[in-house]
Amino acid sequence: MKPFDLIKTTDPKHALLQKKEQVQYIAGGTNLVDLMKKNIQVPDTLLDVTEALGHRIDKQGKAVQIGAMARNTTVATDAMILRDFPLIAKAVLAGASPQIRNMASTAGNLLQRTRCPYFYDVTTACNKRKPGSGCSAYEGQNRMSAVVGYSTDCVAVHPSDLCVGLAALDAEVHVFGKDQKKSVIPFEEFHRLPGNTPHLDNNLPEHALITSIEIPENPFDKNCAYLKVRDRDSYSFALVSVAAALHLDGDRIIDARLASGGVAHKPWRWRDAEQFLRGKSATAATFGEAARLIVGDLKPLTHNGFKIDMLKGAVETALGQCLHV
Amino acid sequence: MKKGEKLSRRFFLKTTGALTLLAAIPASLKSAYKQVKNFIVTEKKMAPLTVSVNKKAYALDADTRTTLLDLLRENLSLTGTKKGCDHGQCGACTVHVDGERVLSCLTLSAMVGGKEVTTIEGIANGDQLHPMQEAFIVCDGFQCGYCTPGQIMSAIACVKEGHTNSVAEIKEHMSGNLCRCGAYNGIVESIQKVATT
């Protein structure tokens, strides 16, 4: 690891003033410290923002504001989140381990880097790590890679579970910019597709801080599920995951939300399938149709064709689980 | 200079001059070495740190790169906490910071200043083992023992958090601690034993 200065700050304005090239914010550190050990990220200075950003989870009208520093465990065990936004708690609990959830922050979860093995292996080409060097995964070991939205420059997937839940529930990212101005980024516009600039994971303005995540009121507190399929039962990244939520009137679907992890460079919303489900009756046949619609969009790589059947089953199962809660 | 003669002025100047030159060599060599070294390797940054480990206060200067795991093992000689993968994938380095279980290999020591750290060395009461340590012995909760300090620290937290209502729940909430020997059944039994007594 390259030597660095560590500065603790208790004021977000002070943090923004100090932030420049080669200066990096650190919160939970669960991803950044690991990347620094591997010399993938080599900041000169770390700005410890753990006491500069809010960690509270507050109701704002009927929406909820989750402070950037709220630890994953706090989010997953918060009584109001469990009551009104259970999909978020389910998604958080599907990710990482209790130790990591105790450390990791909400904002850091959005900003974590991909776990594509070529990104971590500094002896291989990776456009995300070294722009212009090529993508080793595109024709390499791409079992864990994307099946939708990728480019020949990058087939990495976003590793978060929380973000899949946030995408499904139309969350918003509250940002404090270098110019000391506040702004809001809709969740679906936060993360990027790789295109020919895969080194950019998201649209957070340069040097800006995430201050909180807002989730609007929604009617999906009763019928929702988060299903994660992985190589072992727990503590493993998703092969595919599905956040499913239904707003039901009897057995008629008034509204639906479907999003996936493990399939793309960003949390992926299945809008066509959501549209298909609206107005239909909530039956296994309907869910099967929605799942078929989803997998019709997929373009698997050489080693991840299995994700088609896996995702189809996961969507059907997750929608089915929404009815048995 | 003959025996008995007084020191001449010339002799004095020559000797002191030579001695000063000789004394200056190591300093200039040292600074030249340092310059070359810093050209190749960036100079490490030290920072003062105060931390409490097992209710004992420590104040020291530490390299900012030092993880809590390395601080415990290398600086404080508390080698009970183990380094497994050093990348947050195995849980062998689990300790408690302010009562919550965390991975010490992904925690920068400079960020735990003023906090209370508890390691495997701090849970027994004198010669009386912690109930979880006793349970691991009784239930065969380990074979080689390398992951055990992390397993025990995680297990104590698992009970405290109340995730002991079923075998499945225990397994889910112990999934951050890997055991290559596969002593999982004994570990689950140990946790059940402590949770029910």
Side-chain angles (χ1 to χ4, degrees):
Chain A
M1 207 190 295
K2 201 183 91 178
F4 55 84
D5 286 310
L6 193 136
I7 302 169
K8 203 170 183 66
T9 173
T10 52
D11 176 11
K13 284 181 186 164
H14 177 256
L16 286 170
L17 288 173
Q18 305 253 359
K19 180 75 173 72
K20 48 183 185 286
E21 211 62 43
Q22 292 306 314
V23 178
Q24 204 140 10
Y25 299 124
I26 184 164
T30 55
N31 193 202
L32 181 58
V33 173
D34 195 24
L35 292 168
M36 286 168 64
K37 284 183 182 184
K38 290 180 177 258
N39 286 319
I40 295 168
Q41 301 208 322
V42 282
D44 289 339
T45 304
L46 287 182
L47 274 174
D48 176 357
V49 292
T50 48
E51 285 172 25
L53 298 169
H55 57 87
R56 291 170 57 94
I57 300 171
D58 287 320
K59 208 100 196 228
Q60 301 261 320
K62 299 213 163 166
V64 66
Q65 287 263 2
I66 303 173
M69 265 318 297
R71 310 278 179 174
N72 285 183
T73 300
T74 313
V75 175
T77 53
D78 182 84
M80 187 245 299
I81 295 280
L82 285 166
R83 188 189 65 222
D84 297 340
F85 306 89
L87 181 61
I88 297 301
K90 288 173 201 232
V92 171
L93 286 176
S97 68
Q99 290 96 313
I100 292 175
R101 293 196 293 267
N102 279 344
M103 302 166 73
S105 69
T106 298
N109 188 291
L110 272 62
L111 301 174
Q112 65 181 309
R113 310 301 307 272
T114 184
R115 297 318 197 276
C116 177
Y118 296 105
F119 176 69
Y120 272 79
D121 182 354
V122 293
T123 65
T124 62
C126 171
N127 287 321
K128 194 178 267 301
R129 178 166 31 77
K130 195 177 171 202
S133 62
C135 174
S136 301
Y138 182 61
E139 288 180 322
Q141 291 300 318
N142 47 33
R143 181 174 169 273
M144 300 289 287
S145 305
V147 285
V148 67
Y150 57 81
S151 71
T152 52
D153 286 331
C154 183
V155 294
V157 296
H158 194 266
S160 168
D161 292 296
L162 167 62
C163 289
V164 179
L166 292 173
L169 296 184
D170 282 337
E172 290 176 332
V173 184
H174 288 237
V175 170
F176 196 29
K178 180 75 177 162
D179 54 3
Q180 310 261 339
K181 285 196 181 121
K182 291 176 181 173
S183 59
V184 177
I185 305 173
F187 203 83
E188 257 199 299
E189 291 169 26
F190 186 79
H191 293 101
R192 296 167 61 98
L193 287 183
N196 56 8
T197 53
H199 59 290
L200 301 172
D201 289 349
N202 55 60
N203 290 316
L204 185 67
E206 197 180 19
H207 305 315
L209 275 169
I210 296 173
T211 51
S212 66
I213 307 295
E214 184 171 325
I215 313 174
E217 182 195 19
N218 66 68
F220 301 112
D221 53 325
K222 290 189 183 61
N223 303 100
C224 64
Y226 189 80
L227 182 71
K228 185 176 182 183
V229 188
R230 42 191 158 172
D231 284 328
R232 57 183 182 210
D233 266 359
S234 180
Y235 197 25
S236 186
F237 289 99
L239 291 165
V240 300
S241 70
V242 177
L246 296 173
H247 179 204
L248 296 170
D249 179 12
D251 78 335
R252 200 175 68 84
I253 301 167
I254 299 170
D255 197 5
R257 297 287 170 84
L258 277 170
S260 281
V263 298
H265 195 260
K266 62 187 280 186
W268 198 261
R269 273 287 284 273
W270 304 107
R271 295 229 178 235
D272 289 348
E274 290 176 8
Q275 185 55 39
F276 168 82
L277 287 169
R278 283 182 199 113
K280 303 277 190 318
S281 57
T283 63
T286 309
F287 298 160
E289 278 301 310
R292 262 191 292 281
L293 201 60
I294 282 173
V295 297
D297 289 346
L298 306 185
K299 291 182 179 61
L301 300 158
T302 37
H303 298 295
N304 64 6
F306 69 92
K307 285 195 180 184
I308 296 181
D309 280 346
M310 187 177 271
L311 183 62
K312 185 167 171 289
V315 170
E316 289 184 46
T317 308
L319 284 168
Q321 284 177 356
C322 289
L323 304 180
H324 303 287
V325 282
Chain B
M1 196 166 49
K2 283 177 195 165
K3 202 179 173 188
E5 273 184 12
K6 281 188 173 176
L7 292 174
S8 73
R9 185 166 173 271
R10 175 168 298 180
F11 176 80
F12 177 78
L13 286 174
K14 270 184 175 171
T15 359
T16 46
L19 284 173
T20 318
L21 203 69
L22 272 172
I25 289 172
S28 60
L29 261 181
K30 204 176 164 189
S31 82
Y33 167 74
K34 210 174 165 188
Q35 274 184 2
V36 173
K37 190 183 160 196
N38 289 350
F39 182 72
I40 303 165
V41 194
T42 323
E43 195 179 3
K44 63 181 175 186
K45 310 277 178 74
M46 305 294 283
L49 171 69
T50 54
V51 63
S52 173
V53 182
N54 301 327
K55 295 183 179 147
K56 187 176 168 192
Y58 295 87
L60 67 162
D61 279 329
D63 188 327
T64 52
R65 293 173 293 181
T66 315
T67 59
L68 176 56
L69 174 61
D70 286 338
L71 184 89
L72 293 169
R73 292 183 58 84
E74 310 296 334
N75 298 54
L76 308 181
S77 298
L78 292 168
T79 52
T81 307
K82 299 296 183 233
K83 182 180 278 192
C85 67
D86 205 26
H87 288 288
Q89 297 174 7
C90 76
C93 67
T94 303
V95 299
H96 298 177
V97 173
D98 285 348
E100 304 289 337
R101 51 174 156 166
V102 300
L103 298 176
S104 61
C105 78
L106 292 181
T107 304
L108 291 175
S109 59
M111 290 173 74
V112 293
K115 296 188 174 167
E116 176 64 37
V117 179
T118 309
T119 71
I120 190 75
E121 289 96 339
I123 56 169
N125 185 6
D127 286 341
Q128 196 188 344
L129 292 179
H130 186 280
M132 192 61 80
Q133 289 173 304
E134 294 281 7
F136 266 64
I137 293 168
V138 173
C139 304
D140 270 344
F142 60 95
Q143 287 176 42
C144 85
Y146 195 80
C147 72
T148 313
Q151 297 280 4
I152 289 177
M153 296 312 285
S154 212
I156 292 170
C158 185
V159 172
K160 195 195 90 177
E161 293 159 11
H163 296 304
T164 55
N165 297 311
S166 67
V167 170
E169 190 182 12
I170 292 172
K171 285 187 171 178
E172 172 61 36
H173 288 270
M174 286 297 290
S175 69
N177 293 78
L178 305 189
C179 170
R180 285 291 288 166
C181 301
Y184 294 112
N185 291 341
I187 293 168
V188 170
E189 270 179 51
S190 307
I191 293 170
Q192 285 177 313
K193 188 174 163 63
V194 173
T196 51
T197 47

